[in-house]
Amino acid sequence: MEAIGRLDVRPKVLLNGSAVGYYGNRGEETLTEASNPGDGWLAGVGVAWEAEALKARDLGLRVALLRTAVVFGKGGGALPQMLTPFRMGVGGKLGSGRQWFPWIHLDDEVGLILHVLDSSIEGPVNLAAP
């Protein structure tokens, strides 16, 4: 925030990128932007990261806290990296198949980011498929 505070011309908005890991592992609980943070290391990082970003409000910026799920897209996102072990013949079952796995398509991620930029949305925004 110090660097933003020293600018002669400040941006109007800060888009802070974090993750849906903010919520921790909550099983079948329905989670929204109003849900409390989870427990554990990743949730703690999300809480600290967002607290720092929110300081930009004191500088007059609109702050949107983008909580992103794993991003998938043909030719991009996480899918190519996740497929590598399977292509090498060492991939395998990672769970029962009933575990929750939040995700979003790359096109939707970009569209939502542009929507947040072009609107007056502030605070937490979950970027994930329903």
Side-chain angles (χ1 to χ4, degrees), residues 32-58:
T32 71
E33 287 85 350
S35 298
N36 290 325
D39 296 321
W41 182 82
L42 186 56
V45 169
V47 169
W49 189 260
E50 291 183 2
E52 188 64 27
L54 287 171
K55 292 178 183 178
R57 287 179 171 168
D58 296 336

Side-chain angles (χ1 to χ4, degrees), residues 78-104:
L79 187 57
Q81 291 80 12
M82 294 175 78
L83 290 177
T84 300
F86 292 92
R87 289 188 178 127
M88 296 172 62
V90 295
K93 192 172 179 181
L94 301 175
S96 68
R98 297 189 46 77
Q99 66 274 14
W100 290 91
F101 187 84
W103 63 277
I104 187 167

Side-chain angles (χ1 to χ4, degrees), residues 68-81 103-115 127-129:
T68 299
V70 175
V71 180
F72 289 122
K74 186 176 180 180
L79 187 57
Q81 291 80 12
W103 63 277
I104 187 167
H105 189 275
L106 181 59
D107 292 344
D108 293 329
E109 174 88 1
V110 171
L112 285 166
I113 290 170
L114 292 173
H115 175 69
L127 301 171

